[in-house]
Every structure is written in C-alpha cells, then in structure tokens.
Amino acid sequence: MNGIVVVVVGALLCFYGIRSVHLGILAIGFGLGWMIADLFNASLAWLVLIGLIGAVSSWVITSLVFRFASYFIGGLTGAMIGTKLATVLQPGDKNVALSMIVALAMCVAGAFLAEKFRARALLWLTSIGGASMVVSGLGRMSDSLAFLRDPEPGWQQVTSVLAWVGLSLLGWITQRHLFAEKLGIQHLAGGGDDEIDQSKRNGGWPTR
C-alpha cells in the first residue's frame, strides 16, 4: 500500500487536473517532489514529506507569479514527466546527472508548450503527468507490479511505457469530454454560442 497516496493524487491530476487550477498545482507539485525523491530510493516517509513540500511550494510560488503561471505550471509538469521518462529509459542504476538533464529539458519544453497552446497543452501535460504518477504508485503497491516503477530492459520496459501511454490517452479522452466547455470545445460541450466566457474555462487555468 506504499503507493496508494501517489496513485490517488496521480489519478486526480490525470482525470480531473484541468478542472481546477488549485488542485492541479498541488497535484503537480506533489508529483514532482515524489518523483525526484524516488530517483534516490527515498523511504515512504521522505517521499510523502518531499511531495507535500513540493505541493505547497508550487502553490505559493504560482499564486505569487500568476501572470507567468502558464510557464511555471507547464515547466513543473514537464519536469515531472521528464523525471518519469528518465526512470523508464534507464533500467537498473540511475545516472542522476542524466536524469536531471532530461527533467530540465522536459521542463523547458513543457513551459514553452503551456505558454503557446495554453489549455490544450495543459490538458496533455496533466494527463501525461498524472499517468506517470499512477504508474509509479502502482509499482509500489505490489511486488508483482514493481517493474512499472523501475523496469528492467525488455518486456518490462515496453510494458511500463505502454501502460503509461495508455493511461495518458485515457486521461486525455476523459478530461476532454468531461470539461469540453472549459476547454472551449463547443461541439463536445453542446453549445453553439460563439461568446464563451474565458474566465469560466479551465477552472482558473491561465488563458491569456
């Protein structure tokens, strides 16, 4: 049951992340802190503690610099995705320096995409980031699923990536249909009115 916390938080981000900016930021911050701590094989207590510190820090910083929130939120989510990607692509012992480089590269990419494409990019980022948390959490809940968190080369690596991709797509589809109006997808929201109140989209996620 060690991974139940991160599974729950990851599921919220994956399937509900675009709904609320506050929920999204807290989940992203928690997930990033957890993923980084997990690279160092930290104990459950440290994982939760660093995750909570990440959640609170992310929320405070984003609140202070909301004008640049798209960059910040996209960067955080990108870093979380990059950290998971580094884990999947490095079976066995991890090269921490390389992992940080991958996380930084994804951080920059996430920030750029979130600023340029706003809600659509955040939809993808929350789905992929949340899925990475769920997969990692499941890997801690059972020895038979441990390969999802730290796969060995071969079928474990392939299965871990496929599970991550599949869950990401499921989260994307779910959020896109549940929150079509907030994303401004009129044909899914069932509305034909061209005048959509931007302030009601994305649960407060930046749209400008």
Side-chain angles (χ1 to χ4, degrees), residues 27-42:
I28 291 166
F30 182 90
L32 179 58
W34 179 287
M35 293 288 188
I36 292 176
D38 198 36
L39 280 175
F40 298 93
N41 296 315

Side-chain angles (χ1 to χ4, degrees), residues 13 24-33 35-36 54-55 57-62 69-83 103 106-112 114 122 125 129 205:
L13 183 61
I25 292 169
L26 289 170
I28 291 166
F30 182 90
L32 179 58
M35 293 288 188
I36 292 176
S57 300
S58 299
W59 186 83
V60 170
I61 294 174
T62 305
S70 292
Y71 283 111
F72 189 71
I73 295 168
L76 281 178
T77 316
M80 180 170 61
I81 294 170
T83 303
M106 291 299 298
C107 173
V108 173
F112 171 79
L122 291 169
L125 289 169
W205 292 95

Side-chain angles (χ1 to χ4, degrees), residues 53-115:
I53 291 173
V56 174
S57 300
S58 299
W59 186 83
V60 170
I61 294 174
T62 305
S63 298
L64 292 175
V65 293
F66 195 76
R67 181 179 178 183
F68 304 101
S70 292
Y71 283 111
F72 189 71
I73 295 168
L76 281 178
T77 316
M80 180 170 61
I81 294 170
T83 303
K84 177 60 179 177
L85 188 62
T87 301
V88 171
L89 297 179
Q90 295 183 91
D93 293 335
K94 305 295 183 294
N95 185 321
V96 176
L98 179 60
S99 298
M100 293 298 102
I101 291 173
V102 173
L104 180 59
M106 291 299 298
C107 173
V108 173
F112 171 79
L113 291 172
E115 176 59 23

Side-chain angles (χ1 to χ4, degrees), residues 18-203:
I18 202 70
R19 176 63 179 83
S20 169
V21 64
H22 299 291
L23 171 64
I25 292 169
L26 289 170
I28 291 166
F30 182 90
L32 179 58
W34 179 287
M35 293 288 188
I36 292 176
D38 198 36
L39 280 175
F40 298 93
N41 296 315
S43 66
L44 178 62
W46 277 106
L47 287 169
V48 173
L49 177 60
I50 295 176
L52 290 174
I53 291 173
V56 174
S57 300
S58 299
W59 186 83
V60 170
I61 294 174
T62 305
S63 298
L64 292 175
V65 293
F66 195 76
R67 181 179 178 183
F68 304 101
S70 292
Y71 283 111
F72 189 71
I73 295 168
L76 281 178
T77 316
M80 180 170 61
I81 294 170
T83 303
K84 177 60 179 177
L85 188 62
T87 301
V88 171
L89 297 179
Q90 295 183 91
D93 293 335
K94 305 295 183 294
N95 185 321
V96 176
L98 179 60
S99 298
M100 293 298 102
I101 291 173
V102 173
L104 180 59
M106 291 299 298
C107 173
V108 173
F112 171 79
L113 291 172
E115 176 59 23
K116 185 172 179 61
F117 299 106
R118 302 296 172 127
R120 302 305 176 91
L122 291 169
L123 173 60
W124 274 108
L125 289 169
T126 54
S127 299
I128 298 171
S132 70
M133 293 174 63
V134 173
V135 170
S136 294
L138 289 173
R140 281 186 166 270
M141 292 176 64
S142 169
D143 290 340
S144 61
L145 296 175
F147 69 90
L148 291 175
R149 182 176 70 91
D150 190 14
E152 295 295 331
W155 73 267
Q156 291 188 356
Q157 200 171 20
V158 173
T159 303
S160 179
V161 171
L162 289 177
W164 185 15
V165 171
L167 193 57
S168 299
L169 289 173
L170 182 59
W172 181 85
I173 292 170
T174 300
Q175 291 199 72
R176 191 171 186 271
H177 281 77
L178 286 179
F179 310 123
E181 183 176 356
K182 293 184 177 298
L183 291 164
I185 306 172
Q186 295 182 33
H187 70 283
L188 290 179
D193 187 2
D194 292 332
E195 297 296 328
I196 298 177
D197 185 355
Q198 295 284 343
S199 66
K200 294 181 180 180
R201 290 186 184 179
N202 319 321

